[in-house]
Amino acid sequence: MELNGPDLKWPAVLVAGTVLALLLAYAVHRWMSRRSARAAAAVANSTALTELPEYRRALQLHRIRMAVLALSAVLLGGAALVGAARPLDTTIDKPQTRSRDIMLCLDISGSMAAYDATLVATFRTLVKSFQGERIGLVIFNSSAATVFPLTDDYDFINDELDTASSALSGNPAFESFFAGTFNGRGTSLIGDGLATCASSFDKVDTQRARSVVFATDNHLAGRPIIDVEQAAALAKAKGVRVYGLNPEEDGPDEEAMQMRELVTGTGGQYYAMTDQAAIKGIVASVQAQEATLIDGASRSLYSDNPNLPIALAGVGLLGVIGASRRWAS
């Protein structure tokens, strides 16, 4: 019989404990009876003695002592057995997660080389500001590659961002970081990168707040499969808000104005990296999106709880000790 698992059969344990305790009490009673019998001596004309009030009182006390001894032995044996079986408390835990997903989308083309390490540091600051949201990272140049999918493992996320920082700082030991980003024609294929990020959200049938933090200078150099206007329309159709982060100075040039128009069209916002309020603005905008708490899979939690059996065993032990002593008449 399994005594320490979650399927512990309490009735069987209690019955076994009671039987064991009764056998123990019976053995103790037989031992004391035999001891008394050996010590007894035949006495003639003892009727007058047994009729004395003192004798009757002593006999009553003896019977009470035996009853207390038997009950205490039952309690001690049963409680000890139950305690040895490691009784468990079972609680049902229903974890909840926030229904916000954020994809970090980073242009790693040559024109962005001077800014990428700083942008990764910006991403790390953003991640520190979130609690419970799922984060993912996609990098792109002539093609897009997923560095890590959406996850709420923040230790893992920070480790991956450390690796990204080392790779983007020119450390040759991390060249594999760029694998999968040179499979297309040209460089900085912004539309393909944004489309990949917008399509990286899972659980499409679940109501969730979805955001893309899109870091690029918007300098297209090649022929993308999807142009940036189509990618922005795709993001909007999927309910994804795009927050543009331009590392260059925010000016009136046509590319900056185009990027601003595209991201605001999705319900997002446009920021220059030099804007001191950029990080706070992105975090506030993402957290302002309505998000519901989603129940995770229920799980059973088991914990040992021998306190009550130990306490009852202590009471039974005290009763056995007390009843075993000879009482003064």
Side-chain angles (χ1 to χ4, degrees):
M1 180 175 62
E2 181 70 20
L3 296 181
N4 59 352
D7 296 325
L8 185 64
K9 305 298 184 181
W10 283 105
V13 171
L14 292 176
V15 169
T18 302
V19 170
L20 179 62
L22 287 173
L23 291 174
L24 177 62
Y26 177 74
V28 172
H29 176 70
R30 288 293 303 272
W31 176 77
M32 294 189 68
S33 297
R34 289 179 180 177
R35 184 178 177 184
S36 298
R38 287 196 300 268
V43 179
N45 302 317
S46 59
T47 304
L49 176 64
T50 58
E51 295 295 332
L52 292 175
E54 291 79 2
Y55 177 86
R56 291 182 176 275
R57 184 166 57 253
L59 180 61
Q60 184 178 11
L61 289 175
H62 175 73
R63 289 173 177 172
I64 293 174
R65 183 160 61 93
M66 290 296 99
V68 171
L69 179 61
L71 292 175
S72 297
V74 169
L75 180 61
L76 174 60
L81 184 61
V82 172
R86 294 178 60 193
L88 301 177
D89 278 343
T90 304
T91 56
I92 305 300
D93 180 38
K94 292 184 177 180
Q96 292 182 321
T97 58
R98 297 184 183 184
S99 57
R100 292 193 185 98
D101 295 336
I102 302 117
M103 288 300 305
L104 308 177
C105 199
L106 178 60
D107 182 351
I108 59 167
S109 61
S111 62
M112 291 284 290
Y115 307 105
D116 281 333
T118 303
L119 282 166
V120 170
T122 301
F123 284 171
R124 286 207 64 167
T125 305
L126 284 170
V127 169
K128 290 179 182 178
S129 302
F130 294 119
Q131 293 182 349
E133 288 83 0
R134 297 195 304 164
I135 311 292
L137 174 62
V138 170
I139 57 176
F140 67 92
N141 190 0
S142 62
S143 58
T146 299
V147 178
F148 58 87
L150 290 167
T151 177
D152 57 3
D153 186 341
Y154 286 85
D155 290 335
F156 171 76
I157 292 170
N158 288 325
D159 287 344
E160 290 296 314
L161 291 178
D162 286 340
T163 299
S165 179
S166 298
L168 294 169
S169 298
N171 190 331
F174 295 91
E175 288 184 0
S176 60
F177 175 79
F178 303 102
T181 60
F182 300 101
N183 297 331
R185 295 182 178 181
T187 62
S188 193
L189 302 186
I190 303 165
D192 293 350
L194 179 56
T196 300
C197 293
S199 301
S200 296
F201 296 95
D202 58 359
K203 302 182 180 180
V204 294
D205 296 330
T206 304
Q207 182 64 36
R208 304 178 71 88
R210 298 179 171 89
S211 305
V212 170
V213 180
F214 188 52
T216 180
D217 56 8
N218 203 31
H219 294 334
L220 175 64
R223 299 177 62 182
I225 298 174
I226 300 176
D227 62 39
V228 68
E229 289 85 1
Q230 292 173 323
L234 175 65
K236 185 176 181 179
K238 289 178 173 292
V240 176
R241 297 187 183 187
V242 181
Y243 296 89
L245 191 59
N246 193 335
E248 297 185 343
E249 292 291 337
D250 189 13
D253 60 278
E254 182 179 348
E255 291 175 336
M257 293 179 63
Q258 180 196 36
M259 184 176 175
R260 180 191 296 272
E261 181 179 349
L262 290 174
V263 299
T264 55
T266 66
Q269 309 232 356
Y270 172 85
Y271 300 91
M273 195 175 75
T274 53
D275 184 356
Q276 298 297 320
I279 293 176
K280 291 183 179 180
I282 292 174
V283 172
S285 297
V286 169
Q287 293 182 336
Q289 296 184 55
E290 183 177 357
T292 56
L293 290 175
I294 296 178
D295 291 331
S298 299
R299 56 184 179 180
S300 298
L301 303 178
Y302 303 101
S303 59
D304 289 348
N305 185 18
N307 297 333
L308 180 59
I310 290 175
L312 292 177
V315 172
L317 179 60
L318 291 175
V320 169
I321 294 173
S324 300
R325 296 180 60 186
R326 291 185 177 275
W327 292 354
S329 59

